[in-house]
Amino acid sequence: MLIRGKFNLYPGLYEPAIAALDGVAEAAIVGVPDPETGDEQVVLAVVGDAAGLARRLPGVIDHDALPDRIVELPELPRSGRGRKLDRERLRALVGGAREAGG
């Protein structure tokens, strides 16, 4: 869970809806520290085409769940036998990644 003001953001509630959008194969939401403010940024990582995704998200997810940044990756990091999403590795990957075109 990520806390954004008074809003509790549960990534698992929004990731399937985002992944169901045309051009998006997978989606994951993580929080990463903002190096300038120290606050937590909400980052959406997608496998697929992130072009124009920021414009489509308001019709799919709650306004308070909209990401601060969208990052396109070739794949999401996975670990273990079940190939579970490794959110810690994902945070490290997107922490310094550049934002995808919107």
Side-chain angles (χ1 to χ4, degrees):
M1 175 180 71
L2 305 172
I3 299 173
R4 178 181 259 180
K6 293 182 179 184
F7 183 76
N8 294 338
L9 195 163
Y10 294 92
L13 294 177
Y14 300 102
E15 293 163 343
I18 297 167
L21 293 171
D22 286 342
V24 178
E26 291 185 279
I29 298 171
V30 293
V32 296
D34 183 320
E36 293 179 19
T37 66
D39 292 334
E40 190 169 54
Q41 284 187 340
V42 174
V43 179
L44 169 61
V46 296
V47 176
D49 185 7
L53 187 57
R55 289 187 300 275
R56 296 189 289 160
L57 288 177
V60 177
I61 64 175
D62 294 327
H63 179 272
D64 290 329
L66 292 172
D68 298 307
R69 291 191 298 130
I70 300 172
V71 177
E72 191 175 309
L73 297 174
E75 64 183 9
L76 296 180
R78 307 236 175 237
S79 64
R81 286 175 143 183
R83 305 300 297 153
K84 183 179 176 182
L85 176 64
D86 187 334
R87 290 192 188 271
E88 286 301 316
R89 281 185 36 217
L90 181 57
R91 277 184 200 90
L93 281 171
V94 300
R98 293 182 51 187
E99 186 172 0

